[in-house]
Amino acid sequence: LPDDYFQIIILIDVLEHLYDPVKTLTRCYRLLKSNGVLVVKTPYWKMQHNKEVIKKLFRVGTGNIATLGHINQFDPCSIKLAFRKSGFDIIGIYPARSFLPGMKGAPFSLKRSLEYSVRATFNGLVELLFRITSVNLSFNLLSLARKRELVKQ
């Protein structure tokens, strides 16, 4: 692909599986047009770890986030550092909603409805807390960065 080609690039659940995420971000930087935007969703390792510890307490998990197949673990500081090393200006790091299971089709069940309600409520509370306190208790991070505008001489 040619450099300066895309206005936006979106990476959803990608960087945590790569051996060299900064190399990938640097390539994204080259592919973006001036002022282009990079959108990245990654797991938030601290909250993922807490979730696995709680699951282990209830005997429904191992307590080990390494079993998720993630090579890299990100938090707001590490994703900002990766962006900076790649040349990006950071727009912001926000809570990313946990994906909700679909409510239509088979197998529609009470358990599925309850799971949907719990996740939707959790997402709403996490967003409210973040807006009020800037504390991120989401299981995922939504990170936005912009390619610096090229100054023409």
Side-chain angles (χ1 to χ4, degrees), residues 97-101 103 112-128:
R97 287 180 163 258
S98 296
F99 290 124
L100 300 173
M103 289 301 293
R112 194 167 166 193
S113 298
L114 182 61
E115 180 182 351
Y116 180 90
S117 298
V118 167
R119 285 189 184 190
T121 301
F122 179 79
N123 284 337
L125 291 173
V126 163
E127 286 179 22
L128 180 63

Side-chain angles (χ1 to χ4, degrees), residues 93-95 125-137:
I93 312 291
Y94 309 97
L125 291 173
V126 163
E127 286 179 22
L128 180 63
L129 180 67
F130 183 77
R131 287 175 190 229
I132 294 170
T133 66
S134 295
V135 171
N136 187 350
L137 295 180

Side-chain angles (χ1 to χ4, degrees), residues 16-28:
E16 64 273 15
H17 298 281
L18 303 177
Y19 287 106
D20 193 346
V22 172
K23 182 178 179 181
T24 298
L25 292 175
T26 301
R27 179 69 178 130
C28 289

